[in-house]
Amino acid sequence: MADAFEVLARDHTEVKRMLDDLEAGPTAATGADEDALALRRALLQRLITEESKHEAVEEEYFWPLVRERVPEGDELADHAVAQEQSAKQELDDLIAVHPLQARFEGLLSDFIAGAREHIAFEEERVWPRLRGVVTAEEAAELGRRLEAAKKLAPTRPHSNTPPRPGLLKATGPVVGVADRMLDKLTGRDRG
């Protein structure tokens, strides 16, 4: 079973790959046809799903542990959660925009830059500090919790939901079911 850092690193690797693919295009401005733009939109939808699940479980389990165990954990978690809230808003905006719309590429570019900054913040500033204060058993248990929670986590960003762990743990699975139903109804789960 993977520990928390392995679970999160896998997520980050997958997200960075999707960010690279989206950044590489093709775009409407570079002459992409409707099929290419549909593939781009499908990749974005997959990114939104994976990012939404990842951030939800971090807010439920990872950041509370950082706050509890890491010196200056509140400041680190506050900074990261603020980045995540901003990313959720950007993802909400991207959901509503088609790749042919003028503002799509700007929104996507802003999201990509912020996502890379957030991943670097976690990996370079937070993980080393948390590794220094948790045991291998605690990291493994957190990894199990993160993986289990991702199976039920929301698949959409929900930028208006306060990032409070207790609230998220109580409502996350219900919202996750509702998101998955909406994904099926809209065909988003096939993207």
Side-chain angles (χ1 to χ4, degrees), residues 85-101:
Q85 286 300 107
S86 177
K88 287 180 194 179
Q89 184 58 59
E90 290 170 339
L91 291 175
D92 273 342
D93 292 344
L94 280 164
I95 286 171
V97 178
H98 189 276
L100 286 174
Q101 290 179 286

Side-chain angles (χ1 to χ4, degrees), residues 24 32 35 62 66 74 85 88 108 145 159 180:
D35 289 340
F62 184 77
V66 169
D74 283 336
Q85 286 300 107
K88 287 180 194 179
L108 183 58
R145 287 183 182 190
S159 60
R180 283 171 179 76

Side-chain angles (χ1 to χ4, degrees), residues 94-113:
L94 280 164
I95 286 171
V97 178
H98 189 276
L100 286 174
Q101 290 179 286
R103 54 185 277 235
F104 178 84
E105 292 302 330
L107 288 170
L108 183 58
S109 180
D110 290 348
F111 173 78
I112 289 171

Side-chain angles (χ1 to χ4, degrees), residues 42-182:
L43 177 59
L44 175 63
Q45 294 301 334
R46 201 167 101 243
L47 174 66
I48 290 169
T49 296
E50 293 309 313
E51 269 291 296
S52 296
K53 293 188 302 187
H54 175 85
E55 300 307 346
V57 301
E58 276 190 336
E59 290 173 2
E60 290 174 23
Y61 296 99
F62 184 77
W63 297 118
L65 185 62
V66 169
R67 289 180 190 283
E68 176 186 317
R69 301 290 293 280
V70 174
E72 301 174 1
D74 283 336
E75 292 84 9
L76 292 169
D78 287 346
H79 180 80
V81 169
Q83 288 176 319
E84 291 170 358
Q85 286 300 107
S86 177
K88 287 180 194 179
Q89 184 58 59
E90 290 170 339
L91 291 175
D92 273 342
D93 292 344
L94 280 164
I95 286 171
V97 178
H98 189 276
L100 286 174
Q101 290 179 286
R103 54 185 277 235
F104 178 84
E105 292 302 330
L107 288 170
L108 183 58
S109 180
D110 290 348
F111 173 78
I112 289 171
R116 286 197 172 117
E117 181 181 322
H118 177 67
I119 289 169
F121 177 79
E122 281 187 26
E123 292 178 354
E124 297 166 13
R125 297 211 34 220
V126 179
W127 292 4
R129 292 177 182 176
L130 186 59
R131 275 191 172 108
V133 296
V134 296
T135 65
E137 294 79 19
E138 290 169 323
E141 175 58 27
L142 180 57
R144 283 190 288 278
R145 287 183 182 190
L146 292 170
E147 285 185 330
K150 275 183 65 174
K151 294 175 184 172
L152 302 173
T155 62
R156 294 168 183 263
H158 301 285
S159 60
N160 294 321
T161 301
R164 293 197 303 263
L167 174 67
L168 295 170
K169 286 178 188 174
T171 62
V174 174
V175 172
V177 168
D179 281 356
R180 283 171 179 76
M181 289 174 58
L182 184 57

